Amino acid sequence: MAKKGFAGKWLFWGVFVLLAIAAVVVTIRPDPVWVDLAPVTRGPMEITIKEEGKTRVRDRYVVSSPVAGYLHRVLLEVGDPVIPGELLTEVDPMPASTLDARSRAEAEAKAQSARSALNSTRQKVAAAEAEADLAVRELARLQALSDDHFVSDERLQQAKAAADRAKAILRSARFDEEVMAHELAAARTRLEVSAARANGDGAVERVPVRSPVNGSVLGIVRKSEGVIQAGEAILELGDPGALEVVVDVLSFDAVNLRPGIEARLTGWGGGTLDAVVRRVEPVGFEDVSALGVEERRVQVVADITSPPDAWQSLGDGYRVDAEFLLWRSDIVLQVPESAIFVSDGQHQVFRVVDDRAVLTNVSVGRTNGFHTVIQDGLGEADRVVRHPDRQLEHGSQVRVR
């Protein structure tokens, strides 16, 4: 009986020690680290710059009073269409004074300058007509070849865009020609009125103010009647069908943009529009953000390449969101940017294998701020830890939230 009692004590104390050791092990064993996981995916990726912009009529014309006098009330409203030569308003001029020899010489010089400017503009119109004719003929040639599938759709779209731009430049040049012609007429009028005053003819006719271009009224600077000085603005005209998009881009983003880069226009109330960068201005300016931060920005001008029917409801000064496409790939291996960190100059991630974190070196490529291209180190079936904290180490047991 004594031996049985002795063996029972040893059994009891042995079990007690094992339980105590197990309790200590469970107590000191670290708890699993809670983590968020993200899969390694393969798919399309883009790197873009997105900023807010606005539409702007490409060619704006400020119609001013040709003489000092009494302005009649402007009856037009913003948005009303106008044609060249249409009467906008009238001005009863002040009695014209006789020009002395010096003033007459200056007036004649201005008339000669306006005549030379008109001749120069006509040469530009001829050059623009030649460019437009060449672009149209090239488009017709490519359309004929496209019927036989000798030309790609992308090349045909480029030719269409080139033809549209050439036509727009020609229209702008013709607007400039019309403006120069009216400026010459104004210079001649001053000489003729002064000559009539010098000859004793005191009757002065009411001076009409006519539209120099074909377009619409964009703004009315002076609507009510009253005394007006020569050269004072009355209203603004332009063609709403010739729109461009102006975007203020941060200067460190603007250095990555160049003419010809594709852009997408959204956030204007309609569908997505295609555009292309035409000019990146070489001069920056200072702007203050909504948070009160001083920023250096650069104006980027883009042309809308989508068909006019898709954006006919857009007008001057409308808000748009412009997204410039810097880089694009259809299929690329990528992970969230938040999963990557740098240690000792090496990009690393925590890969989860059998509920344990495995520290893995990776080779990265381009990033858009949300996802990063993985060139080496991971596979499509892997899962990585998002936002790894300091508690996570190589071999740590993890638990998914």
Side-chain angles (χ1 to χ4, degrees), residues 101-120:
R102 176 182 175 181
S103 298
R104 174 166 291 280
E106 291 177 351
E108 291 176 351
K110 288 182 179 180
Q112 290 292 339
S113 175
R115 185 179 296 107
S116 299
L118 177 59
N119 292 333
S120 175

Side-chain angles (χ1 to χ4, degrees), residues 96-100 104 191-202:
S97 59
T98 303
L99 297 178
D100 55 19
R104 174 166 291 280
L191 288 173
E192 293 171 359
V193 171
S194 175
R197 179 71 177 177
N199 295 331
D201 186 3

Side-chain angles (χ1 to χ4, degrees), residues 240-287:
L243 289 179
E244 61 186 9
V245 179
V246 182
V247 186
D248 294 342
V249 179
L250 292 172
S251 59
F252 62 79
D253 286 333
V255 298
N256 298 316
L257 299 177
R258 64 183 182 277
I261 285 182
E262 297 179 7
R264 292 190 294 262
L265 305 179
T266 57
W268 60 277
T272 301
L273 301 178
D274 296 327
V276 62
V277 175
R278 174 161 53 89
R279 184 176 69 253
V280 180
E281 295 187 352
V283 179
F285 61 92
E286 187 174 282
D287 191 19

Side-chain angles (χ1 to χ4, degrees), residues 337 340-349 360-364 372:
E337 174 72 15
I340 301 175
F341 58 94
V342 179
S343 178
D344 297 330
Q346 173 65 48
H347 292 87
Q348 297 177 330
V349 299
T360 306
N361 294 333
V362 294
S363 177
V364 301
T372 300

Side-chain angles (χ1 to χ4, degrees), residues 346-367:
Q346 173 65 48
H347 292 87
Q348 297 177 330
V349 299
F350 278 109
R351 183 165 52 95
V352 175
V353 179
D354 296 332
D355 293 333
R356 291 194 176 274
V358 178
L359 187 62
T360 306
N361 294 333
V362 294
S363 177
V364 301
R366 295 176 179 266
T367 180

Side-chain angles (χ1 to χ4, degrees), residues 182-196:
H182 285 279
E183 289 183 356
L184 176 58
R188 288 174 174 172
T189 299
R190 186 177 182 219
L191 288 173
E192 293 171 359
V193 171
S194 175

